[in-house]
């Protein structure tokens, strides 16, 4: 079988600005394609992205060439396979269940959302992205993880710095100096919180891990709390901003979402349409074949869920935001063993609390200039601001 | 072929013919049965494939697999003694006629 065709035309800059026309072309012409500028083989069809993430024997998460390890100063659960991965993952998974949210936290999350909404001035144009989407996501995550005492600013900065470090494929030492400093700060704060939670346990992720009968090593507790910091703020933030955009630019859909209280469907469609995490890498463990293309052992394939989520084979008019789809089998939370640990939380906090509270508070909110919104990102993607007029 | 009946939370019944060797989650997806999401593809990491095995069939489907209890705790709807993650129920000829009930909520 042939090797993957090579696409020399695509630059990282193009992908960061607007990858969607590129992915559409790839799905039609070269669904499995080597992209030298990213040093990865792109998989753009839903069947292939899913197959790769479901098959951990042929496609490992343990890719030693990523900058994630220096950025987190650890080998985190995202880069492990098999039993070791499951053990670390289950150590915190119970803090992320629908039941814990419903019984212990939902009211607190509503109160937090209300408090931040209270601060917004009516009749003015405000940036929801920086005033609501980001800080509310950060505040809620602080409680889920058991990191009380960290400010919104710290949580958002740590999250961003970890993500920038993990994406530092140019191996710029300056970025690792920044993550080193952030890691020092987080290490101190996480240790202090652990001390408190040993004395006063609660249902947070850190408390569950430190008070477990058979705890995982402290180094891994810290590493995996950091994964949740890196994974739990920017994605809900970007998801929420994207959904606000989708609904405000489709007023007929907004009307119907309100009538049916279909906030969950609006959420699912938002993350399908612009997946907050657009791509994930896997290391090829043996010579294999994908879609009639030979893939050699040692290659790194990129599962482009952003593209899978618009695959013509699964979605009609996939380039557009349509809440009321018959089926929505998107892969925005991934699939396989590394399926997002926070999926239930994101669905409940953004979909069931933050979105309805926002639109209830400001029913006539409007987006003065949709064209002015800048969308950004290749690995992670979302709008850079969301200025709306409130009334 | 193995016949499986899915009973939705509102009582709607859907009968499908499954391939032996497949599982109850994958069979639902392959046949467009609503009410099972199966988002992690059977890796036992999402709990969006929760089902209640009909009381006539709990013996035949057997006990929960290793680790299944822990993941069931992450299910959105109430967990009962008959609760299973449908990706963990492998279909064999012995399960021909299996009836499973679906919860109201999966995610
Ligand atoms: C809309 C919001 C979110 C989206 C779209 C999202 C998406 C994803 C995706 C695609 C992955 C898999 C990456 C891969 O396959 O390599 C993932 C993993 C993960 N996510 Fe999320 N996420 C969201 C919210 C959250 C939240 C709120 C938390 C924290 C509680 C969280 C914690 C995690 C963790 C810990 C992992 C690693 C799981 C593992 O490797 O086993 N995520 N997320
Ligand atoms: S499909 Fe995810 S747990 Fe069964």
């Amino acid at each position: 079988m042939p090797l993957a065709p090579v696409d020399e035309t695509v630059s990282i800059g193009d992908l960061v600005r607007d990858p969607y026309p590129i992915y559409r072309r790839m799905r039609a012409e070269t669904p499995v394609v080597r992209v030298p500028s990213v040093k990865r083989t792109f998989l753009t069809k839903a069947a292939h992205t899913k197959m790769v993430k479901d098959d951990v024997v042929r496609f490992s998460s343990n890719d030693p060439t990523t900058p994630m390890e220096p950025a987190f100063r650890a080998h985190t659960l995202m880069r492990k396979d098999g039993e070791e991965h499951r053990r670390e993952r289950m150590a915190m998974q119970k803090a992320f269940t629908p039941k814990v949210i419903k019984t212990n936290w939902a009211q607190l999350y509503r109160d937090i959302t209300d408090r931040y909404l209270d601060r917004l001035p009516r009749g003015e144009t405000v940036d929801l992205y920086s005033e609501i989407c980001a800080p509310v996501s950060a505040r809620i995550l602080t409680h889920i993880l058991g990191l009380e005492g960290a400010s919104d600013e710290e949580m958002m900065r740590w999250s961003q710095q970890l993500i920038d470090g993990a994406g530092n494929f140019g191996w710029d030492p300056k970025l690792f100096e920044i993550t080193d400093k952030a890691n020092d700060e987080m290490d101190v704060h996480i240790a202090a919180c652990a001390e408190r939670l040993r004395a006063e346990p609660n249902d947070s992720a850190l408390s569950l891990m430190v008070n477990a009968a058979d705890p995982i090593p402290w180094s891994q507790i810290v590493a995996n709390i950091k994964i949740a910091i890196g994974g739990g703020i920017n994605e809900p933030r970007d998801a929420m901003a994207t959904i606000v955009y989708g609904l405000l630019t489709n007023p007929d859909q907004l009307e119907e979402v309100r009538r049916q209280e279909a906030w969950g469907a609006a959420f699912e469609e938002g993350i399908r349409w612009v997946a907050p995490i657009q791509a994930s890498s896997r290391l090829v463990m043996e010579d294999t074949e994908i879609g009639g293309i030979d893939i050699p052992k040692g290659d790194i394939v990129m599962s482009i869920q952003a593209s899978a989520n618009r695959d013509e084979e699964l979605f009609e008019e996939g380039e557009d935001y349509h809440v009321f789809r018959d089926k929505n089998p998107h892969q925005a939370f991934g699939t396989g063993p590394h399926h997002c640990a926070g999926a239930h939380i994101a669905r409940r906090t953004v979909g069931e609390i933050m979105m309805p509270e926002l639109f209830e508070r400001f029913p006539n909110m409007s987006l003065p200039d949709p064209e002015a919104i800048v969308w950004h990102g290749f690995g992670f993607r979302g709008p850079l601001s969301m200025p709306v007029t409130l009334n | 072929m193995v016949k499986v009946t899915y009973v939705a939370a509102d009582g709607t019944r859907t009968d499908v013919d499954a391939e032996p060797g497949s599982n109850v989650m994958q069979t639902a997806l392959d046949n467009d049965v609503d009410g099972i999401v199966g988002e992690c593809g059977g890796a036992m990491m999402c709990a969006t494939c929760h089902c209640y095995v009909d009381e006539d069939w709990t013996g035949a489907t057997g006990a929960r697999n290793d680790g299944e209890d822990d993941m069931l705790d992450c299910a959105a709807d109430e967990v009962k003694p008959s609760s299973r993650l449908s990706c963990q129920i492998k279909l064999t000829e012995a399960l021909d006629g299996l009836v499973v009930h679906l919860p109201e909520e999966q995610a």
Side-chain angles (χ1 to χ4, degrees):
Chain A
M1 261 172 273
L3 287 170
V6 178
D7 193 330
E8 300 276 3
T9 64
V10 173
S11 72
I12 292 194
D14 297 336
L15 292 165
V16 167
R17 268 186 306 278
D18 186 6
Y20 286 113
I22 299 171
Y23 295 152
R24 189 168 55 204
R25 173 171 59 75
M26 287 176 172
R27 285 195 301 277
E29 296 169 6
T30 53
V32 179
V33 61
R34 186 83 197 151
V35 180
S37 60
V38 189
K39 301 191 186 74
R40 299 277 186 275
T41 300
F42 281 21
L43 309 175
T44 59
K45 296 288 284 177
H48 296 156
T49 55
K50 181 161 169 55
M51 183 274 287
V52 158
K53 288 194 168 183
D54 283 344
D55 184 345
V56 294
V57 176
R58 275 191 297 163
F59 306 99
S60 167
S61 287
N62 192 357
D63 170 2
T65 65
T66 77
M68 192 157 183
E69 190 139 346
F72 283 76
R73 290 203 303 219
H75 192 51
T76 73
L77 87 166
M78 275 192 85
R79 293 273 162 261
K80 291 186 178 180
D81 295 324
E83 266 319 301
E84 204 187 354
H85 166 258
R86 179 171 293 275
R87 174 159 152 75
E88 289 192 19
R89 167 87 180 237
M90 292 318 287
M92 62 177 178
Q93 190 66 49
K94 287 204 186 166
F96 304 149
T97 69
K99 270 166 222 113
V100 169
I101 301 173
K102 235 186 287 189
T103 47
N104 297 16
W105 304 114
Q107 192 53 46
L108 174 67
Y109 298 163
R110 265 190 215 103
D111 294 344
I112 290 173
T113 309
D114 281 342
R115 204 164 71 230
Y116 284 75
L117 288 174
D118 287 344
R119 305 198 303 210
L120 299 179
R122 272 173 198 271
E124 286 178 31
T125 298
V126 303
D127 181 14
L128 275 189
Y129 177 89
S130 56
E131 298 297 323
I132 298 292
C133 307
V136 174
S137 300
R139 189 68 356 228
I140 287 178
L141 192 76
T142 310
H143 292 280
I144 294 173
L145 298 184
L147 298 178
E148 282 89 344
S151 68
D152 295 354
E153 185 278 326
E154 283 170 321
M155 291 292 285
M156 294 189 296
R157 180 167 53 78
W158 290 337
S159 167
Q160 192 60 51
Q161 289 173 340
L162 286 173
I163 288 176
D164 292 344
N168 185 12
F169 286 94
W171 296 82
D172 177 355
K174 274 201 225 67
L175 282 180
F176 291 135
E177 276 166 34
I178 294 174
T179 47
D180 273 344
K181 186 159 170 292
N183 275 299
D184 288 341
E185 293 172 9
M186 283 183 278
D187 289 348
V188 170
H189 186 63
I190 295 170
C193 290
E195 187 97 0
R196 172 174 49 76
L197 291 166
R198 279 196 189 97
E200 294 167 47
N202 63 16
D203 275 330
S204 67
L206 183 56
S207 180
L208 286 190
M209 289 196 284
V210 298
N211 293 311
D214 176 20
I216 60 172
W218 173 247
S219 61
Q220 293 316 111
I221 293 179
V222 173
N224 295 337
I225 285 286
K226 289 175 188 168
I227 282 288
I229 295 175
I233 299 179
N234 290 17
E235 292 72 22
R237 172 197 73 193
D238 293 349
M240 186 177 185
T242 297
I243 301 158
V244 167
Y245 181 95
L247 290 173
L248 291 181
T249 52
N250 292 282
D252 47 331
Q253 293 187 44
L254 173 55
E255 174 91 33
E256 197 53 26
V257 166
R258 269 215 185 89
R259 207 178 60 77
Q260 298 187 22
E261 294 194 37
W263 301 103
F267 172 80
E268 300 297 328
E269 178 61 358
I271 61 173
R272 179 203 66 81
W273 186 50
V274 181
I277 300 185
Q278 299 241 303
S280 323
S281 297
R282 295 291 188 267
L283 177 64
V284 180
M285 303 303 283
E286 55 190 69
D287 286 347
T288 184
E289 172 268 326
I290 301 175
I293 301 280
D294 274 337
I295 305 285
K297 175 178 174 178
D299 195 8
I300 294 168
V301 289
M302 233 178 181
S303 153
I304 314 270
Q305 46 262 17
S307 175
N309 283 357
R310 297 187 180 196
D311 189 339
E312 293 73 10
E313 277 182 51
L314 292 181
F315 302 100
E316 266 174 49
E317 298 183 30
E319 306 290 332
D320 301 329
Y321 182 84
H322 279 306
V323 174
F324 298 96
R325 292 179 181 277
D326 221 19
K327 299 241 168 190
N328 197 346
H330 67 72
Q331 296 176 27
F333 288 121
T335 174
H338 292 274
H339 175 269
C340 177
H344 284 296
I345 293 198
R347 287 185 158 120
R348 266 144 221 275
T349 54
V350 181
E352 291 183 10
I353 297 178
M354 292 159 73
M355 295 303 303
E357 301 256 322
L358 171 68
F359 279 92
E360 204 168 290
R361 185 71 70 93
F362 301 107
N364 299 315
M365 190 166 49
S366 62
L367 191 60
D369 188 4
E371 299 297 316
I373 307 278
V374 177
W375 298 77
H376 178 92
F378 161 58
F380 302 86
R381 190 170 181 82
L384 293 181
S385 67
M386 199 49 61
V388 301
T389 306
L390 301 174
N391 43 45
Chain B
M1 282 296 171
V2 182
K3 198 185 108 188
V4 182
T5 301
Y6 297 85
V7 186
D10 69 2
T12 317
R13 297 172 76 90
T14 313
D15 296 335
V16 306
D17 287 323
E19 298 286 341
S22 184
N23 62 58
V24 174
M25 178 279 291
Q26 194 56 49
T27 300
L29 263 54
D30 292 345
N31 290 280
D32 273 342
V33 179
D34 285 336
I36 288 187
V37 182
E39 201 165 60
C40 76
M44 214 162 64
M45 276 296 178
C46 72
T48 65
C49 66
H50 180 198
C51 74
Y52 306 110
V53 175
D54 190 88
E55 58 183 30
D56 290 342
W57 287 92
T58 48
T61 48
R64 293 174 187 162
N65 288 348
D66 245 10
E68 195 177 334
D69 269 326
D70 278 346
M71 203 62 220
L72 267 172
D73 265 350
C74 304
D77 222 314
E78 185 196 352
V79 176
K80 304 177 191 169
S82 63
S83 284
R84 292 292 307 268
L85 292 172
S86 61
C87 65
Q88 301 301 309
I89 307 177
K90 204 168 162 178
L91 288 166
T92 59
E93 299 291 349
L95 291 181
D96 188 23
L98 175 67
V99 179
V100 295
H101 301 261
L102 305 182
E104 228 159 273
E105 272 191 300
Q106 287 288 13

